[in-house]
Amino acid sequence: MAIKTALLMNFIAPYRVPLFEALRDRIGALRIFISTRMEADRPWVPDWHDLDVVVQKTLTAPVRFRHPGGFVQQLYLHFPYDTLPQLWRYSPDVVISGEFGLRSLQAALYRQLRPKSRLIVWATLSEHTEKNWGRARLALRRFILHSADGVIVNGASGARYVSGIGFHGPIFTMNQPIDVSRLAALPLARPPEDAHRLIYCGRLIGQKGVVEFQSELAAWARRHPERDIDMLWVGDGELRAELEDNSVPANLRQRFIGYVTYDALPEVYRSCGTLVLPSFFDEWGLVVNEAMASGLPVLGSIYSQAVEEMVIDDKTGWQFDPLQPATIARALDRFFASSDEALATMRASARTRALAITPESAAEQMRKAILSLSGAAAVLDATSRYDAHP
């Protein structure tokens, strides 16, 4: 049974392609409307395989603004002004609209003009990304949700936020997937010299809490001069020079290797024992999926939804609050006190958890949301050739 579906979003990141291919194969008709082929600050070359993609007429403006959390962000604001005409011509049964911007306003209008259609808002936000944004932003979100038939969120934090601002309809949770098959092929074993090596992988920017974590790690090293600590920094950003220049004790050895291509990541992860993710806010954090599939427990911030959803203390990693330095110290205590045998068990548990989140399982969750809201839930079991793995 084909359900004609339109997906609206800024652009298609390469890691999203397997998800959208799996979704198309499950629902039969998927057209993706994007605002731009690729944003200027992204390192990817557009490659949509054989997906049905339409690049919209869009006005785009680069903006830098200060987040209420105190961080300056570089973003691109897109206004795909032909969204309503495009939807009218395509005439989808279901529209999935990313986030709560101008495209979603037009999707809400389409929902009103075509009452038999259904609108799903794909809200990848969390409670922590949305703190202190002000009344105008909140009013816009409530207006869009008034027309929405359902919402897809990344995890429990996103669900709490959407419910908290007054949405009482169906909320579907879909953990963010990425193809980790190459990473999952790595051996789980780590030699003793690698088992306690820390790795950070991502942008070196204020939002990620890297300077604050480095300070706490250095303080921990000073309190434990008998312990040699290895820290590998993978990625680039405006804070790299500061991180390299900061004074750290002699027993804290740091290496900065810059940007690493996805093809080279497996060997990098293979040489390390635990991923560090100290973000002050992250809508998800796909690096957690990657690291855990590689067999790395995660020492991570509770303000990353991936950490909240995937990391269990002393089983798949350790959680901490980056706004409370004492919790970072406690997490480091527990990590460095872990025996090689305990870490080996955690590596296996981390991989098992990561392999439960695949493009196929996520596509099945989206398919169930589409079917239930479009009135096709009754044929779900009869038409499904797929098993869900939530």
Side-chain angles (χ1 to χ4, degrees), residues 315-366:
K315 184 174 182 181
T316 57
W318 304 267
Q319 295 187 9
F320 62 84
D321 183 345
L323 299 178
Q324 299 184 28
T327 68
I328 301 177
R330 286 197 294 270
L332 290 169
D333 286 341
R334 293 165 78 171
F335 165 58
F336 284 114
S338 298
S339 67
D340 289 344
E341 293 76 15
L343 289 176
T345 300
M346 293 180 72
R347 286 195 291 271
S349 296
R351 174 168 290 174
T352 298
R353 180 66 182 97
L355 291 180
I357 305 173
T358 65
E360 292 74 24
S361 67
E364 183 63 19
Q365 297 305 104
M366 294 185 82

Side-chain angles (χ1 to χ4, degrees), residues 9-323:
M9 58 194 313
N10 284 339
F11 62 91
I12 301 175
Y15 63 80
R16 295 278 198 206
V17 172
L19 167 63
F20 297 153
E21 289 178 329
L23 178 61
R24 175 202 58 198
D25 293 344
R26 282 160 169 76
I27 62 175
L30 175 67
R31 179 169 293 176
I32 306 173
F33 298 88
I34 59 175
S35 300
T36 180
R37 293 177 61 85
M38 189 61 61
E39 291 183 338
D41 62 345
R42 307 288 178 166
W44 305 308
V45 176
D47 182 3
W48 309 319
H49 294 190
D50 61 345
L51 292 169
D52 181 3
V53 178
V54 173
V55 181
Q56 296 187 242
K57 297 177 181 178
T58 304
L59 299 175
T60 297
V63 295
R64 286 177 64 86
F65 68 95
R66 182 169 295 277
H67 187 275
F71 315 106
V72 175
Q73 293 178 285
Q74 171 70 58
L75 295 177
Y76 291 87
L77 294 181
H78 302 289
F79 176 31
Y81 54 87
D82 67 341
T83 298
L84 184 57
Q86 289 279 9
L87 290 176
W88 199 261
R89 285 193 293 270
Y90 183 54
S91 189
D93 303 306
V94 176
V95 177
I96 304 174
S97 187
E99 302 304 340
F100 290 95
L102 296 172
R103 74 168 63 86
S104 292
L105 274 176
Q106 295 176 79
L109 180 56
Y110 174 81
R111 170 68 178 85
Q112 297 302 317
L113 294 174
R114 288 248 170 96
K116 291 185 178 180
S117 68
R118 295 293 180 264
L119 172 61
I120 302 173
V121 175
W122 188 3
T124 59
L125 42 71
S126 74
E127 296 162 294
H128 309 294
T129 62
E130 303 310 304
K131 279 186 175 179
N132 305 318
W133 270 114
R135 295 179 179 177
R137 187 177 173 114
L138 183 59
L140 174 63
R141 294 180 170 198
R142 285 175 168 160
F143 180 82
I144 292 171
L145 287 174
H146 180 73
S147 295
D149 299 284
V151 177
I152 296 174
V153 297
N154 286 344
S157 180
R160 289 192 297 267
Y161 173 79
V162 172
S163 297
I165 65 173
F167 182 71
H168 303 299
I171 299 175
F172 305 89
T173 298
M174 186 194 78
N175 293 162
Q176 290 297 301
I178 190 170
D179 182 0
V180 294
S181 54
R182 290 184 64 238
L183 298 168
L186 292 173
L188 281 173
R190 295 291 189 279
E193 63 270 20
D194 294 344
H196 282 89
R197 180 174 294 121
L198 298 161
I199 178 174
Y200 170 85
C201 188
R203 293 180 294 166
L204 303 177
I205 58 175
Q207 171 191 334
K208 299 298 184 178
V210 289
V211 171
E212 292 80 3
F213 178 81
Q214 183 195 51
S215 176
E216 293 305 317
L217 182 62
W220 197 95
R222 292 187 186 97
R223 293 194 299 271
H224 300 83
E226 77 288 353
R227 186 85 192 220
D228 290 329
I229 301 168
D230 286 333
M231 180 74 211
L232 181 63
W233 298 92
V234 179
D236 278 311
E238 58 194 31
L239 295 179
R240 177 172 175 173
E242 180 179 348
L243 290 165
E244 290 181 321
D245 291 344
N246 284 341
S247 176
V248 299
N251 62 324
L252 172 52
R253 296 188 294 264
Q254 300 184 109
R255 283 191 296 144
F256 294 82
I257 64 174
Y259 173 75
V260 172
T261 65
Y262 191 75
D263 288 342
L265 270 181
E267 287 306 309
V268 175
Y269 283 130
R270 185 176 184 174
S271 69
C272 296
T274 291
L275 175 81
V276 172
L277 183 63
S279 297
F280 289 115
F281 64 88
D282 259 320
E283 293 178 347
W284 180 252
L286 287 169
V287 67
V288 174
N289 305 53
E290 295 174 352
M292 290 176 65
S294 302
L296 274 65
V298 172
L299 199 152
S301 163
I302 60 174
Y303 303 131
S304 157
Q305 274 195 103
V307 170
E308 183 182 31
E309 294 286 312
M310 300 176 68
V311 176
I312 301 173
D313 282 345
D314 295 317
K315 184 174 182 181
T316 57
W318 304 267
Q319 295 187 9
F320 62 84
D321 183 345
L323 299 178

